[in-house]
Amino acid sequence: IKEKTGRGLVGTGDLAKELGVSVASASEMILKLEKLGFVEIEKYKGVYLTSEGEKIARGMVRRHRILEVFFQKVLKLEDYYERAHRMEHAVDDEMLERLYEFLKKPLKSPNGMNIPE
């Protein structure tokens, strides 16, 4: 999901397709995320991340990309993206920061994407 400021809204159908779920499942999750304050809905237009939602999303991207670096550079695994995707929810903040230090604070993931602060 992209935030509203300058980047536009994301439609429920597009989100469902991207995630490989039904529109009904995507709609249900969007409503839950709205109740938590992570997204806002513009009826008949789409959804966008709130500033709190953006903060959490950046944290997950950071977590994923640091794990990618570890799996690719240290463990020499070719399927680093998939492994990072499976592990990103299991690593706590302390472990992540120690891993980041161990990796000498990389700035980019193996595929050249920036690692957010």
Side-chain angles (χ1 to χ4, degrees), residues 2-9 48:
K2 297 178 182 176
E3 69 174 290
K4 185 178 179 184
T5 54
R7 292 187 279 184
L9 300 167
Y48 61 92

Side-chain angles (χ1 to χ4, degrees), residues 29-55:
M29 186 51 66
I30 288 168
L31 291 174
K32 288 179 183 178
L33 292 171
E34 181 187 39
K35 286 180 183 173
L36 293 169
F38 300 141
V39 300
E40 287 194 23
I41 301 170
E42 286 197 17
K43 201 165 187 151
Y44 307 115
K45 293 183 180 179
V47 299
Y48 61 92
L49 291 171
T50 62
S51 58
E52 186 61 25
E54 179 74 18
K55 178 180 172 187

Side-chain angles (χ1 to χ4, degrees), residues 61-108:
V61 168
R62 174 181 172 76
R63 184 175 306 273
H64 180 93
R65 291 181 183 163
I66 290 171
L67 287 168
E68 283 183 328
V69 172
F70 176 71
F71 290 137
Q72 196 262 342
K73 300 277 186 197
V74 177
L75 300 182
K76 310 291 188 208
L77 298 168
E78 291 184 23
D79 59 343
Y80 59 85
Y81 179 87
E82 293 81 12
R83 289 178 187 265
H85 185 68
R86 289 194 304 264
M87 289 287 296
E88 63 195 21
H89 299 281
V91 175
D92 65 38
D93 292 341
E94 180 183 2
M95 184 186 299
L96 184 75
E97 292 312 311
R98 287 184 181 208
L99 192 56
Y100 183 64
E101 294 287 330
F102 172 78
L103 295 168
K104 298 182 176 42
K105 300 182 179 182
L107 300 176
K108 303 234 181 235

